[in-house]
Amino acid sequence: AKIETMSAEVVDSNPYSRLMALQRMGIVKDYERIRTKTVAVVGVGGVGSVAAEMLTRCGVGRLLLYDYDKVELANMNRLFFRPEQCGMTKTDAAAQTLRHINPDVAIESFTMNITTVDGFDQFKASVTHPDSGSSRVDLILSCVDNYEARITINQVCLELQQTWMESGVSEDAVSGHIQTLIPGETACFQCVPPLVVASGIDERTLKREGVCAASLPTTMGIVAGMLVQNTLKYLLHFGTVSRYLGYNSLKDFFPTMEIKPNTACSNGRCLDAQQAHQAHINSPEALAAAV
Ligand code: ATP
Ligand code: ZN
């Protein structure tokens, strides 16, 4: 009987009706809020491009894309980019495809390196509201493949009190992870050295010079899926937002954990954020609300 009811539901040609069904089924309270959300995707490579496509198909309001690189034939073992886009910047090629898939999404593309002195300022300005000086994005997704870029995102997010999610795929392409970073509440990217998780997964996603890293569309697609699923849960308030979710494809092992902030973190902004967070959770209002 249940199946009959479901198939009797109107399935029109509007792609949003399948998303709105999440609301009818009680998973999400107000799916349409997605249209008011702004997400920045930094790094439009194997993970970032797929994450951007998922967000576009989910109908996010605004998508900011950052990358300095061009599409190459060597990228064709991943998803998303097509051979005829070789030579285009990744941000322009992605904007072209994504606008075609869903013209309702406002896409801003930034072809730039976020780690240079100017790049840092431009990146920060682009996610800052010109009037209020606070963040104008709801979430920043890190889909870069190197330490410096992650440190830059960490710094901008600490300065703006902006929550972000980090992702990584190991150099041997068989494991990956996602992580949610909330200034003051969770570890920042500098609180702990690059993760070598006790579970036996080598999470060092640092790029070694002169070494050709392996990559698989499967692992990158799965990590992008984990990242955007966590993004939807965070933005639309359903389920549990993972603080850390690992993926080990050889063992089909998905470890989760919490990473507490380090009270001896080398980043002063992180220490300030930790103090503010402690003051907040010990405030009379917060204590009253917890009862
Ligand atoms: P590979 O190095 O294996 O050929 P890739 O460089 O395309 O792959 P991915 O892991 O697929 O790497 O994606 C990471 C993306 O992040 C790349 O497109 C890269 O250009 C981008 N990126 C890395 N650092 C920065 C940075 N500082 N500023 C902007 N984009 C960056
Ligand atoms: Zn820290």
Side-chain angles (χ1 to χ4, degrees), residues 77-140:
N77 71 322
R78 293 113 193 247
L79 305 173
F80 191 72
F81 291 116
R82 297 187 306 270
E84 63 269 26
Q85 293 178 314
C86 285
M88 289 178 79
T89 65
K90 288 182 178 176
T91 48
D92 287 349
Q96 178 189 61
T97 302
L98 299 175
R99 287 185 183 123
H100 190 58
I101 290 172
N102 188 350
D104 293 342
V105 183
I107 294 169
E108 297 177 27
S109 82
F110 299 88
T111 307
M112 55 174 282
N113 181 353
I114 62 160
T115 60
T116 63
V117 175
D118 287 348
F120 179 93
D121 292 341
Q122 271 181 48
F123 170 49
K124 187 179 173 190
S126 71
V127 292
T128 306
H129 200 283
D131 302 327
S132 67
S134 57
S135 179
R136 72 172 183 115
V137 306
D138 295 287
L139 191 65
I140 296 179

Short mmCIF file of all heavy atoms in Angstrom, two decimals, residues 77-140:
data_model
loop_
_atom_site.label_atom_id
_atom_site.label_comp_id
_atom_site.label_asym_id
_atom_site.label_seq_id
_atom_site.Cartn_x
_atom_site.Cartn_y
_atom_site.Cartn_z
N ASN A 77 40.61 11.10 -15.98
CA ASN A 77 40.31 9.91 -15.17
C ASN A 77 39.44 10.28 -13.98
O ASN A 77 39.11 9.44 -13.16
CB ASN A 77 41.60 9.23 -14.69
CG ASN A 77 42.31 10.04 -13.63
OD1 ASN A 77 42.34 11.26 -13.72
ND2 ASN A 77 42.87 9.37 -12.64
N ARG A 78 39.06 11.57 -13.88
CA ARG A 78 38.11 11.98 -12.84
C ARG A 78 36.78 12.28 -13.51
O ARG A 78 36.66 12.26 -14.71
CB ARG A 78 38.59 13.27 -12.14
CG ARG A 78 39.84 13.10 -11.33
CD ARG A 78 40.93 13.88 -11.97
NE ARG A 78 42.22 13.51 -11.43
CZ ARG A 78 42.96 14.32 -10.71
NH1 ARG A 78 42.53 15.52 -10.42
NH2 ARG A 78 44.12 13.92 -10.28
N LEU A 79 35.82 12.63 -12.68
CA LEU A 79 34.50 12.96 -13.21
C LEU A 79 34.45 14.43 -13.63
O LEU A 79 35.41 15.17 -13.46
CB LEU A 79 33.43 12.69 -12.13
CG LEU A 79 33.44 11.27 -11.55
CD1 LEU A 79 32.47 11.17 -10.38
CD2 LEU A 79 33.06 10.27 -12.62
N PHE A 80 33.34 14.82 -14.18
CA PHE A 80 32.94 16.20 -14.45
C PHE A 80 33.49 16.87 -15.71
O PHE A 80 32.73 17.21 -16.60
CB PHE A 80 33.18 17.10 -13.24
CG PHE A 80 32.52 18.45 -13.39
CD1 PHE A 80 31.15 18.58 -13.31
CD2 PHE A 80 33.29 19.59 -13.67
CE1 PHE A 80 30.54 19.83 -13.47
CE2 PHE A 80 32.68 20.83 -13.82
CZ PHE A 80 31.30 20.94 -13.72
N PHE A 81 34.80 17.11 -15.82
CA PHE A 81 35.31 17.86 -16.97
C PHE A 81 35.33 16.97 -18.21
O PHE A 81 35.45 15.75 -18.13
CB PHE A 81 36.70 18.43 -16.69
CG PHE A 81 36.69 19.54 -15.68
CD1 PHE A 81 37.36 19.37 -14.47
CD2 PHE A 81 36.01 20.72 -15.91
CE1 PHE A 81 37.35 20.39 -13.52
CE2 PHE A 81 35.99 21.74 -14.97
CZ PHE A 81 36.66 21.58 -13.76
N ARG A 82 35.19 17.63 -19.39
CA ARG A 82 35.15 16.90 -20.65
C ARG A 82 36.36 17.28 -21.51
O ARG A 82 36.88 18.39 -21.37
CB ARG A 82 33.86 17.24 -21.41
CG ARG A 82 32.59 16.83 -20.68
CD ARG A 82 31.35 17.05 -21.55
NE ARG A 82 31.28 18.42 -22.05
CZ ARG A 82 30.67 19.41 -21.41
NH1 ARG A 82 30.06 19.18 -20.28
NH2 ARG A 82 30.64 20.63 -21.93
N PRO A 83 36.78 16.38 -22.41
CA PRO A 83 37.98 16.64 -23.23
C PRO A 83 37.93 17.97 -23.96
O PRO A 83 38.94 18.67 -24.08
CB PRO A 83 38.01 15.46 -24.20
CG PRO A 83 37.24 14.38 -23.53
CD PRO A 83 36.20 15.05 -22.67
N GLU A 84 36.75 18.36 -24.47
CA GLU A 84 36.69 19.61 -25.25
C GLU A 84 36.91 20.84 -24.38
O GLU A 84 37.05 21.95 -24.88
CB GLU A 84 35.38 19.71 -26.03
CG GLU A 84 34.11 19.77 -25.21
CD GLU A 84 33.49 18.39 -24.92
OE1 GLU A 84 34.24 17.38 -24.91
OE2 GLU A 84 32.27 18.35 -24.68
N GLN A 85 36.92 20.66 -23.04
CA GLN A 85 37.17 21.81 -22.15
C GLN A 85 38.65 22.01 -21.84
O GLN A 85 39.01 22.95 -21.14
CB GLN A 85 36.38 21.63 -20.85
CG GLN A 85 34.87 21.69 -21.08
CD GLN A 85 34.07 21.48 -19.80
OE1 GLN A 85 34.37 20.56 -19.04
NE2 GLN A 85 33.06 22.30 -19.58
N CYS A 86 39.51 21.13 -22.38
CA CYS A 86 40.95 21.26 -22.13
C CYS A 86 41.43 22.65 -22.55
O CYS A 86 41.04 23.16 -23.59
CB CYS A 86 41.73 20.20 -22.92
SG CYS A 86 41.57 18.58 -22.19
N GLY A 87 42.24 23.26 -21.69
CA GLY A 87 42.75 24.60 -21.98
C GLY A 87 41.94 25.70 -21.31
O GLY A 87 42.45 26.78 -21.07
N MET A 88 40.68 25.43 -21.02
CA MET A 88 39.87 26.42 -20.29
C MET A 88 40.29 26.42 -18.82
O MET A 88 40.78 25.40 -18.32
CB MET A 88 38.38 26.05 -20.33
CG MET A 88 37.70 26.21 -21.66
SD MET A 88 35.97 25.68 -21.56
CE MET A 88 35.22 27.12 -20.78
N THR A 89 40.09 27.52 -18.11
CA THR A 89 40.34 27.47 -16.68
C THR A 89 39.26 26.57 -16.07
O THR A 89 38.15 26.47 -16.59
CB THR A 89 40.27 28.86 -16.02
OG1 THR A 89 38.95 29.35 -16.11
CG2 THR A 89 41.26 29.82 -16.67
N LYS A 90 39.62 25.89 -14.97
CA LYS A 90 38.66 24.97 -14.34
C LYS A 90 37.42 25.73 -13.87
O LYS A 90 36.30 25.22 -13.97
CB LYS A 90 39.32 24.25 -13.16
CG LYS A 90 40.34 23.20 -13.59
CD LYS A 90 40.93 22.47 -12.41
CE LYS A 90 41.91 21.40 -12.87
NZ LYS A 90 42.58 20.71 -11.76
N THR A 91 37.63 26.97 -13.37
CA THR A 91 36.47 27.73 -12.88
C THR A 91 35.55 28.11 -14.03
O THR A 91 34.32 28.00 -13.89
CB THR A 91 36.94 29.00 -12.14
OG1 THR A 91 37.90 29.67 -12.95
CG2 THR A 91 37.53 28.68 -10.79
N ASP A 92 36.10 28.53 -15.18
CA ASP A 92 35.25 28.90 -16.31
C ASP A 92 34.55 27.68 -16.90
O ASP A 92 33.37 27.73 -17.23
CB ASP A 92 36.07 29.59 -17.41
CG ASP A 92 36.45 31.00 -17.01
OD1 ASP A 92 35.91 31.50 -16.00
OD2 ASP A 92 37.30 31.60 -17.70
N ALA A 93 35.30 26.57 -17.03
CA ALA A 93 34.70 25.35 -17.58
C ALA A 93 33.58 24.86 -16.67
O ALA A 93 32.50 24.47 -17.13
CB ALA A 93 35.76 24.27 -17.74
N ALA A 94 33.82 24.93 -15.35
CA ALA A 94 32.80 24.47 -14.40
C ALA A 94 31.59 25.38 -14.45
O ALA A 94 30.44 24.91 -14.51
CB ALA A 94 33.38 24.44 -12.98
N ALA A 95 31.82 26.70 -14.47
CA ALA A 95 30.69 27.65 -14.51
C ALA A 95 29.85 27.39 -15.75
O ALA A 95 28.61 27.39 -15.68
CB ALA A 95 31.21 29.08 -14.48
N GLN A 96 30.50 27.13 -16.88
CA GLN A 96 29.79 26.87 -18.14
C GLN A 96 28.85 25.66 -17.99
O GLN A 96 27.67 25.73 -18.29
CB GLN A 96 30.84 26.61 -19.23
CG GLN A 96 30.33 26.27 -20.60
CD GLN A 96 31.47 25.81 -21.51
OE1 GLN A 96 32.13 24.80 -21.24
NE2 GLN A 96 31.71 26.56 -22.57
N THR A 97 29.41 24.55 -17.52
CA THR A 97 28.61 23.33 -17.37
C THR A 97 27.50 23.51 -16.33
O THR A 97 26.36 23.12 -16.56
CB THR A 97 29.52 22.15 -16.94
OG1 THR A 97 30.55 22.01 -17.92
CG2 THR A 97 28.73 20.86 -16.82
N LEU A 98 27.84 24.11 -15.20
CA LEU A 98 26.89 24.20 -14.09
C LEU A 98 25.72 25.13 -14.41
O LEU A 98 24.58 24.85 -14.07
CB LEU A 98 27.60 24.63 -12.80
CG LEU A 98 28.71 23.68 -12.32
CD1 LEU A 98 29.43 24.24 -11.11
CD2 LEU A 98 28.14 22.29 -12.00
N ARG A 99 26.01 26.25 -15.11
CA ARG A 99 24.92 27.17 -15.48
C ARG A 99 23.96 26.49 -16.44
O ARG A 99 22.76 26.74 -16.41
CB ARG A 99 25.49 28.43 -16.14
CG ARG A 99 26.16 29.34 -15.14
CD ARG A 99 26.61 30.65 -15.78
NE ARG A 99 27.31 31.45 -14.76
CZ ARG A 99 28.56 31.90 -14.89
NH1 ARG A 99 29.24 31.66 -16.00
NH2 ARG A 99 29.11 32.60 -13.92
N HIS A 100 24.50 25.62 -17.28
CA HIS A 100 23.67 24.88 -18.24
C HIS A 100 22.78 23.87 -17.51
O HIS A 100 21.62 23.69 -17.84
CB HIS A 100 24.60 24.19 -19.23
CG HIS A 100 23.91 23.60 -20.40
ND1 HIS A 100 23.14 24.35 -21.26
CD2 HIS A 100 23.86 22.33 -20.87
CE1 HIS A 100 22.65 23.57 -22.20
NE2 HIS A 100 23.08 22.33 -21.99
N ILE A 101 23.35 23.22 -16.49
CA ILE A 101 22.60 22.22 -15.73
C ILE A 101 21.48 22.88 -14.91
O ILE A 101 20.35 22.39 -14.88
CB ILE A 101 23.54 21.43 -14.77
CG1 ILE A 101 24.46 20.51 -15.58
CG2 ILE A 101 22.74 20.61 -13.75
CD1 ILE A 101 25.55 19.84 -14.75
N ASN A 102 21.80 23.99 -14.25
CA ASN A 102 20.78 24.66 -13.41
C ASN A 102 20.97 26.17 -13.43
O ASN A 102 21.74 26.71 -12.64
CB ASN A 102 20.85 24.13 -11.97
CG ASN A 102 19.70 24.66 -11.12
OD1 ASN A 102 18.96 25.55 -11.55
ND2 ASN A 102 19.55 24.10 -9.94
N PRO A 103 20.24 26.85 -14.33
CA PRO A 103 20.40 28.30 -14.46
C PRO A 103 19.94 29.08 -13.23
O PRO A 103 20.24 30.27 -13.12
CB PRO A 103 19.54 28.66 -15.68
CG PRO A 103 18.87 27.43 -16.13
CD PRO A 103 19.25 26.28 -15.27
N ASP A 104 19.26 28.43 -12.29
CA ASP A 104 18.80 29.13 -11.08
C ASP A 104 19.92 29.41 -10.09
O ASP A 104 19.76 30.21 -9.17
CB ASP A 104 17.73 28.30 -10.34
CG ASP A 104 16.45 28.18 -11.14
OD1 ASP A 104 16.25 28.99 -12.07
OD2 ASP A 104 15.64 27.28 -10.82
N VAL A 105 21.05 28.72 -10.25
CA VAL A 105 22.16 28.91 -9.30
C VAL A 105 23.03 30.09 -9.76
O VAL A 105 23.46 30.12 -10.91
CB VAL A 105 23.02 27.63 -9.20
CG1 VAL A 105 24.12 27.80 -8.15
CG2 VAL A 105 22.16 26.42 -8.87
N ALA A 106 23.27 31.04 -8.86
CA ALA A 106 24.15 32.17 -9.19
C ALA A 106 25.59 31.71 -8.98
O ALA A 106 25.98 31.38 -7.86
CB ALA A 106 23.83 33.36 -8.30
N ILE A 107 26.34 31.65 -10.06
CA ILE A 107 27.71 31.14 -9.97
C ILE A 107 28.71 32.28 -10.16
O ILE A 107 28.61 33.05 -11.10
CB ILE A 107 27.94 30.02 -11.00
CG1 ILE A 107 27.05 28.82 -10.63
CG2 ILE A 107 29.42 29.60 -11.04
CD1 ILE A 107 26.97 27.75 -11.66
N GLU A 108 29.65 32.37 -9.22
CA GLU A 108 30.71 33.37 -9.34
C GLU A 108 32.01 32.59 -9.44
O GLU A 108 32.28 31.73 -8.60
CB GLU A 108 30.75 34.28 -8.11
CG GLU A 108 29.48 35.10 -7.92
CD GLU A 108 29.51 35.95 -6.66
OE1 GLU A 108 30.60 36.32 -6.20
OE2 GLU A 108 28.41 36.23 -6.13
N SER A 109 32.80 32.87 -10.48
CA SER A 109 34.04 32.10 -10.58
C SER A 109 35.26 32.98 -10.38
O SER A 109 35.34 34.09 -10.91
CB SER A 109 34.09 31.31 -11.89
OG SER A 109 34.51 32.08 -12.95
N PHE A 110 36.19 32.51 -9.55
CA PHE A 110 37.40 33.24 -9.22
C PHE A 110 38.60 32.41 -9.67
O PHE A 110 38.93 31.40 -9.05
CB PHE A 110 37.48 33.48 -7.71
CG PHE A 110 36.33 34.31 -7.18
CD1 PHE A 110 35.14 33.69 -6.78
CD2 PHE A 110 36.44 35.69 -7.10
CE1 PHE A 110 34.08 34.46 -6.30
CE2 PHE A 110 35.37 36.45 -6.62
CZ PHE A 110 34.19 35.84 -6.22
N THR A 111 39.22 32.85 -10.78
CA THR A 111 40.39 32.14 -11.27
C THR A 111 41.60 32.75 -10.58
O THR A 111 42.09 33.81 -10.99
CB THR A 111 40.49 32.28 -12.80
OG1 THR A 111 39.24 31.85 -13.36
CG2 THR A 111 41.61 31.42 -13.35
N MET A 112 42.03 32.14 -9.50
CA MET A 112 43.09 32.74 -8.69
C MET A 112 43.74 31.74 -7.75
O MET A 112 43.16 30.70 -7.43
CB MET A 112 42.50 33.88 -7.86
CG MET A 112 41.32 33.42 -7.00
SD MET A 112 40.74 34.70 -5.89
CE MET A 112 41.98 34.58 -4.64
N ASN A 113 44.95 32.12 -7.30
CA ASN A 113 45.66 31.35 -6.29
C ASN A 113 45.38 32.00 -4.94
O ASN A 113 45.71 33.16 -4.74
CB ASN A 113 47.17 31.39 -6.61
CG ASN A 113 47.98 30.58 -5.61
OD1 ASN A 113 47.46 30.08 -4.61
ND2 ASN A 113 49.26 30.45 -5.88
N ILE A 114 44.78 31.26 -4.03
CA ILE A 114 44.40 31.85 -2.75
C ILE A 114 45.57 32.02 -1.79
O ILE A 114 45.43 32.67 -0.76
CB ILE A 114 43.29 31.04 -2.04
CG1 ILE A 114 43.76 29.62 -1.70
CG2 ILE A 114 42.01 31.02 -2.87
CD1 ILE A 114 42.93 28.96 -0.61
N THR A 115 46.74 31.44 -2.11
CA THR A 115 47.83 31.44 -1.12
C THR A 115 48.82 32.61 -1.27
O THR A 115 49.64 32.83 -0.40
CB THR A 115 48.65 30.13 -1.14
OG1 THR A 115 49.21 29.97 -2.44
CG2 THR A 115 47.78 28.94 -0.81
N THR A 116 48.77 33.36 -2.39
CA THR A 116 49.68 34.51 -2.51
C THR A 116 49.16 35.62 -1.60
O THR A 116 48.02 35.55 -1.12
CB THR A 116 49.71 35.03 -3.96
OG1 THR A 116 48.40 35.51 -4.30
CG2 THR A 116 50.13 33.95 -4.94
N VAL A 117 49.99 36.65 -1.36
CA VAL A 117 49.57 37.75 -0.48
C VAL A 117 48.30 38.40 -1.04
O VAL A 117 47.31 38.59 -0.33
CB VAL A 117 50.71 38.77 -0.31
CG1 VAL A 117 50.23 39.97 0.51
CG2 VAL A 117 51.90 38.10 0.37
N ASP A 118 48.32 38.72 -2.35
CA ASP A 118 47.13 39.32 -2.96
C ASP A 118 45.97 38.35 -3.00
O ASP A 118 44.81 38.72 -2.79
CB ASP A 118 47.44 39.76 -4.41
CG ASP A 118 48.33 40.99 -4.44
OD1 ASP A 118 48.50 41.62 -3.38
OD2 ASP A 118 48.85 41.30 -5.53
N GLY A 119 46.31 37.09 -3.29
CA GLY A 119 45.28 36.05 -3.38
C GLY A 119 44.54 35.90 -2.06
O GLY A 119 43.31 35.80 -2.03
N PHE A 120 45.28 35.93 -0.96
CA PHE A 120 44.67 35.82 0.36
C PHE A 120 43.65 36.95 0.56
O PHE A 120 42.51 36.72 0.95
CB PHE A 120 45.75 35.89 1.45
CG PHE A 120 45.20 35.81 2.85
CD1 PHE A 120 45.11 34.59 3.51
CD2 PHE A 120 44.76 36.95 3.51
CE1 PHE A 120 44.58 34.52 4.79
CE2 PHE A 120 44.24 36.88 4.79
CZ PHE A 120 44.15 35.67 5.44
N ASP A 121 44.10 38.20 0.25
CA ASP A 121 43.21 39.36 0.44
C ASP A 121 41.96 39.26 -0.44
O ASP A 121 40.86 39.55 0.00
CB ASP A 121 43.96 40.66 0.14
CG ASP A 121 45.06 40.93 1.16
OD1 ASP A 121 44.99 40.34 2.27
OD2 ASP A 121 45.97 41.71 0.86
N GLN A 122 42.20 38.87 -1.71
CA GLN A 122 41.07 38.76 -2.64
C GLN A 122 40.09 37.68 -2.22
O GLN A 122 38.87 37.85 -2.29
CB GLN A 122 41.58 38.39 -4.03
CG GLN A 122 41.95 39.55 -4.91
CD GLN A 122 42.41 39.02 -6.26
OE1 GLN A 122 41.77 38.17 -6.87
NE2 GLN A 122 43.56 39.51 -6.71
N PHE A 123 40.65 36.55 -1.79
CA PHE A 123 39.81 35.43 -1.35
C PHE A 123 38.99 35.87 -0.14
O PHE A 123 37.76 35.70 -0.10
CB PHE A 123 40.69 34.22 -1.02
CG PHE A 123 39.98 33.09 -0.34
CD1 PHE A 123 38.78 32.59 -0.84
CD2 PHE A 123 40.51 32.49 0.80
CE1 PHE A 123 38.12 31.53 -0.21
CE2 PHE A 123 39.87 31.44 1.43
CZ PHE A 123 38.67 30.98 0.93
N LYS A 124 39.67 36.49 0.84
CA LYS A 124 38.95 36.92 2.04
C LYS A 124 37.87 37.95 1.69
O LYS A 124 36.73 37.85 2.16
CB LYS A 124 39.93 37.50 3.08
CG LYS A 124 39.24 37.79 4.40
CD LYS A 124 40.16 38.33 5.47
CE LYS A 124 39.33 38.75 6.68
NZ LYS A 124 40.12 39.49 7.66
N ALA A 125 38.22 38.93 0.83
CA ALA A 125 37.25 39.97 0.46
C ALA A 125 36.04 39.34 -0.23
O ALA A 125 34.90 39.76 -0.02
CB ALA A 125 37.91 41.00 -0.45
N SER A 126 36.29 38.32 -1.05
CA SER A 126 35.19 37.73 -1.82
C SER A 126 34.19 36.96 -0.95
O SER A 126 33.06 36.75 -1.36
CB SER A 126 35.74 36.80 -2.90
OG SER A 126 36.29 35.62 -2.32
N VAL A 127 34.60 36.56 0.24
CA VAL A 127 33.67 35.85 1.13
C VAL A 127 33.18 36.75 2.27
O VAL A 127 32.46 36.30 3.15
CB VAL A 127 34.26 34.53 1.71
CG1 VAL A 127 34.45 33.50 0.61
CG2 VAL A 127 35.57 34.77 2.45
N THR A 128 33.60 38.03 2.24
CA THR A 128 33.21 38.97 3.29
C THR A 128 32.11 39.89 2.79
O THR A 128 32.18 40.38 1.65
CB THR A 128 34.43 39.82 3.72
OG1 THR A 128 35.49 38.95 4.09
CG2 THR A 128 34.08 40.73 4.90
N HIS A 129 31.13 40.15 3.63
CA HIS A 129 30.07 41.08 3.25
C HIS A 129 30.63 42.49 3.28
O HIS A 129 31.20 42.90 4.29
CB HIS A 129 28.89 40.96 4.23
CG HIS A 129 27.64 41.50 3.66
ND1 HIS A 129 27.40 42.86 3.59
CD2 HIS A 129 26.56 40.90 3.11
CE1 HIS A 129 26.23 43.05 3.02
NE2 HIS A 129 25.69 41.88 2.71
N PRO A 130 30.50 43.26 2.18
CA PRO A 130 31.13 44.57 2.12
C PRO A 130 30.63 45.54 3.20
O PRO A 130 31.39 46.40 3.64
CB PRO A 130 30.80 45.09 0.72
CG PRO A 130 29.74 44.20 0.19
CD PRO A 130 29.81 42.91 0.93
N ASP A 131 29.38 45.40 3.64
CA ASP A 131 28.84 46.33 4.64
C ASP A 131 29.15 45.88 6.06
O ASP A 131 29.68 46.64 6.87
CB ASP A 131 27.33 46.48 4.47
CG ASP A 131 26.98 46.96 3.07
OD1 ASP A 131 27.78 47.73 2.51
OD2 ASP A 131 25.93 46.53 2.55
N SER A 132 28.82 44.62 6.37
CA SER A 132 28.93 44.17 7.75
C SER A 132 30.34 43.74 8.14
O SER A 132 30.70 43.73 9.31
CB SER A 132 27.97 43.00 7.99
OG SER A 132 28.40 41.88 7.25
N GLY A 133 31.15 43.38 7.14
CA GLY A 133 32.49 42.90 7.46
C GLY A 133 32.50 41.46 7.95
O GLY A 133 33.55 40.90 8.23
N SER A 134 31.32 40.86 8.09
CA SER A 134 31.28 39.45 8.48
C SER A 134 31.13 38.59 7.22
O SER A 134 31.02 39.12 6.11
CB SER A 134 30.13 39.20 9.46
OG SER A 134 28.92 39.59 8.88
N SER A 135 31.11 37.28 7.41
CA SER A 135 31.09 36.39 6.25
C SER A 135 29.78 36.50 5.48
O SER A 135 28.72 36.68 6.06
CB SER A 135 31.29 34.96 6.73
OG SER A 135 31.25 34.11 5.61
N ARG A 136 29.87 36.41 4.17
CA ARG A 136 28.64 36.41 3.36
C ARG A 136 28.34 35.02 2.81
O ARG A 136 27.46 34.84 1.99
CB ARG A 136 28.75 37.42 2.21
CG ARG A 136 29.70 37.02 1.09
CD ARG A 136 29.57 37.99 -0.08
NE ARG A 136 30.42 37.57 -1.19
CZ ARG A 136 29.96 37.17 -2.37
NH1 ARG A 136 28.68 37.12 -2.62
NH2 ARG A 136 30.81 36.83 -3.32
N VAL A 137 29.10 34.03 3.26
CA VAL A 137 28.84 32.66 2.80
C VAL A 137 28.35 31.82 3.99
O VAL A 137 28.64 32.12 5.14
CB VAL A 137 30.07 32.00 2.13
CG1 VAL A 137 30.61 32.86 1.01
CG2 VAL A 137 31.16 31.72 3.14
N ASP A 138 27.60 30.78 3.69
CA ASP A 138 27.11 29.90 4.75
C ASP A 138 28.11 28.80 5.07
O ASP A 138 28.12 28.27 6.18
CB ASP A 138 25.77 29.29 4.33
CG ASP A 138 24.71 30.38 4.20
OD1 ASP A 138 24.27 30.89 5.23
OD2 ASP A 138 24.38 30.75 3.05
N LEU A 139 28.93 28.45 4.09
CA LEU A 139 29.89 27.38 4.30
C LEU A 139 31.00 27.48 3.25
O LEU A 139 30.73 27.86 2.11
CB LEU A 139 29.17 26.02 4.17
CG LEU A 139 29.95 24.78 4.60
CD1 LEU A 139 30.24 24.80 6.10
CD2 LEU A 139 29.16 23.52 4.25
N ILE A 140 32.22 27.14 3.67
CA ILE A 140 33.33 27.05 2.72
C ILE A 140 33.76 25.59 2.65
O ILE A 140 33.95 24.95 3.70
CB ILE A 140 34.51 27.96 3.13
CG1 ILE A 140 34.07 29.44 3.08
CG2 ILE A 140 35.73 27.72 2.23
CD1 ILE A 140 35.14 30.44 3.50
#
